[in-house]
Amino acid sequence: MALDTNALARIYGSADPQALAAQERRYARALEAFARRYGPGEVRAYHAPGRVNLIGEHTDYNHGYVMPVALDKDVLLLARPRRDGVVRMDNLEGGFPQRTFSVAAEISPQPVGDWANYAQGPAEILEREHGPGLHGLDALVDGGAPYGVPRGAGLSSSSALTVAFAVALAEVNDLGLAGPALADACSRAEWYVGTRGGIMDQFISVLARQEHALFLDCRPAADGSGYAYRHVPLPAEYAIVVADSGLRHTNTGPHYNRRVAECRIGVRLLAARYPGITHLRDVEDHPWPEIEPLLPEAIDREELLAMGIDPARILDSGVDPQTDTFSVRRRCRHVVTENRRVLDACEALEAGDVARLGTLMNAAHESARDDYEISTPEIEALVRLALGLPGAVAARLTGAGWGGCIVALVAQEAAGDFAARLVAGYRAETNRQAQVFVCHSAAGAGLVLQTRV
Ligand code: NG1
């Protein structure tokens, strides 16, 4: 497997020849750096893409539906197998100190936020479930701009690193772990870092197919056969445009886990009427007007404790102790209605009905803003500006929220102009610089090349 544009086209196929040549230079630079860092010998290159979510926000951890698309922005991880169980991690970018840990040892977590956690998580899971005695590796990560996944932008940079490392570790150890089983291991691995997240990001990074979205049902099948998903072709006449507000969030902060807790409180309250339910997904067949009166707009800690529900125990990581009041009704309304929208959006995409898809995406934004309350003034500015530009049929915040990116659906021929005008409008309004790019959906994670340096 040599480094050539054919190998790269299989991964970044929809990119133009110039973009492929640029990727070739990126890989060559990374290979040189690997040789300088670890000496001459064998090296394997793995990639794992980030993603943009078309629709289905904060539904995954409620066992709902999502519909993400992989980006051609990714994490590239170069690796050489070792005979022992040691992992050495280095990064081409500054600010990510070199790390060494042992796959076989009982792993003690680094402080949350350390980038090596995203490798230690999958190492721990794979060693426990496929070990003992896995071989380690020497690794060099390349995730910097403009090829890498922007970090903290709601485009799944953390999952891309988790998946890239897991793919490499599984492959050098010949574990035969791929597809949904690998994605599932990666999503459990990310809990290690502290976010009580769902499975969307790892599944799209592993299962992505060029020019397709992934419709994923985040509820595991009762018979243990895993998750249902299908690839849905994207409309060729429309571009998926991503605009990064430049504002950053961190998932491991209290906000995200608090939303997870509010959904779980909703389930506990609904269980009085619908015994045996475990997730908001379980009420999908009940009309919202039937559910709504069962859920308080807000409920505080004392009231919950009196009902035998301890909010501090509702997540195994605990919730932010400062939050005394929980907004239950509107959070649940977002999740329940969003699940319906994803099903409808998938149907619309399969029928080639882009106008309907756009309407659903716009409604998803309003729900995320008003009911889930995860938008910000900057994101609102981007969405409003985007919807006012020629060729745009939809614009909504994408990812966890609290900053990050919007995703827009724009007629192909208008996309270039759209990007320029959005950047200018956003700067005029907020004095901030937006990064806008068209998403060329890439292939899922895997080995890209095997060579010697
Ligand atoms: P981002 O946007 O990458 O922070 C997070 C979760 C997803 C999903 C979305 C909201 C992780 C790794 N990712 O993604 O599972 O819940 O928020 O839809 O926790």
Side-chain angles (χ1 to χ4, degrees), residues 268-269 272 299 301-310:
R268 294 285 297 272
L269 295 172
I299 188 162
R301 181 180 300 274
E302 278 63 43
E303 288 173 273
L304 286 168
L305 287 172
M307 298 167 85
I309 302 171
D310 181 354

Side-chain angles (χ1 to χ4, degrees), residues 29 50 96 148 215 286 296 330 349 374 379:
R29 270 197 305 272
F96 297 95
F215 170 79
H286 298 274
R330 57 181 55 211
L349 199 54
I374 54 176
I379 290 291

